[in-house]
Structures are given as structure tokens and as C-alpha cells.
Amino acid sequence: MKKTNIQGTNDKRNVNPNWFTSKTWMKVLSEKIKSKDQDIYHVHFEKGSRTKLHAHNGNQVLIATKGKGSLEIFRRYGTSKNNFKIKKTQKIILNEGDIVHIPAKTLHTHGSTDKKKTFSHIAINILPKKNSEYKTVWWESDFKSKVTEII
């Protein structure tokens, strides 16, 4: 049995900056506790940073741990893999302690809503099948009406 702690910057891992709008970092919790059925991350969004538009092949659960953030859900229009129209269908404000479930293949973005304060959440990425790989597709977009390319 292993344990770890979500607090502090020990084991800090930088993230791919192409997937976020500004400075973001995380701690990989699942590696510490040897989790095999899900990937678990504590993600820290600096002042106003958020994910770019993306979708996962498995379900995801977010648990807000600090600050104020949001989850925005989008609908996709068109059949092109990397150039299509989008429309925001839902915005969910996330405060400390809030939990939200994101079904697989849902087009979404999440992160900080305040350009002066940080936001963090625990992301639990549930593997689509036992011993399978959790995959995420990331897109460049204007967060309003169009997607221009896969990142």
C-alpha cells in the first residue's frame, strides 16, 4: 500500500504547454499509489490558464481543490477531424469541493476563471477498458465557434 499527498510542489511535473492557454503544472498521483484502473493528476492552473479544447476516450472526474474554475462543454458540427464548427452548450462553475463527471468523447475545456487567482483540481481519468490506454485529442480553437487544427 502506497500513499502520497496532493499538497506542495514536490514531484511537480510540467505539462505540454501546447495543451493549455497559459502556465499550468501537475502532480501525477496515480504513479505514486500504483493505480492501474485510472490515471490521477492534481492539476494547477495559474491565473486564468485553462486547457485547450479536448476530448478523452474514457470518462473523467474533476474534483476542485482550490480557487474558482469552470468546465465548458461544446457541441461539434461537421465531419472533418481537424477543422469544424463548435458551439458552447454548457458552462459549469467549479468551486472548492465541487465534483463533476465528464463522459467519454465529450468536447470540453476546464481551468481557472480568474486572471488574478490560481485554480486547481484533481482529474481522475478512468481507463476505457482494463489494461487499455487513456487517450486525449487536443485542438486549437477560438473557444467560440471554430476549431482549426489538431494539436
Side-chain angles (χ1 to χ4, degrees), residues 12-142:
K12 179 177 171 179
R13 181 198 272 176
N14 290 326
V15 297
N16 184 334
N18 295 326
W19 298 342
F20 299 88
T21 62
S22 191
K23 188 175 179 185
T24 303
W25 61 275
M26 69 178 173
K27 289 177 76 168
V28 182
L29 305 176
S30 50
E31 287 177 359
K32 293 288 183 188
I33 62 171
K34 308 284 188 220
S35 175
K36 294 185 191 302
D37 297 321
Q38 62 273 322
D39 296 327
I40 308 168
Y41 306 97
H42 194 201
V43 186
H44 299 262
F45 299 89
E46 300 297 327
K47 304 170 183 169
S49 180
R50 55 188 310 101
T51 67
K52 294 200 178 169
L53 203 62
H54 64 285
H56 310 284
N57 67 340
N59 295 327
Q60 183 178 53
V61 174
L62 302 180
I63 306 168
T65 57
K66 181 180 179 183
K68 186 174 183 176
S70 71
L71 164 67
E72 296 180 1
I73 307 296
F74 292 82
R75 182 166 182 167
R76 174 186 186 136
Y77 297 92
T79 56
S80 173
K81 282 187 172 185
N82 60 358
N83 190 337
F84 52 89
K85 301 283 184 198
I86 56 172
K87 181 180 180 185
K88 188 184 325 178
T89 59
Q90 189 174 16
K91 181 174 183 175
I92 300 168
I93 299 300
L94 298 174
N95 294 300
E96 290 179 33
D98 288 344
I99 302 171
V100 65
H101 173 262
I102 306 165
K105 300 177 183 168
T106 300
L107 195 58
H108 67 284
T109 180
H110 43 93
S112 173
T113 56
D114 190 330
K115 295 194 186 293
K116 296 182 181 176
K117 295 182 182 172
T118 61
F119 170 71
S120 64
H121 65 55
I122 293 174
I124 304 170
N125 297 344
I126 302 163
L127 302 179
K129 295 180 198 167
K130 199 163 187 91
N131 298 319
S132 64
E133 185 180 347
Y134 194 86
K135 294 180 183 174
T136 304
V137 178
W138 301 87
W139 289 276
E140 283 292 348
S141 76
D142 62 2

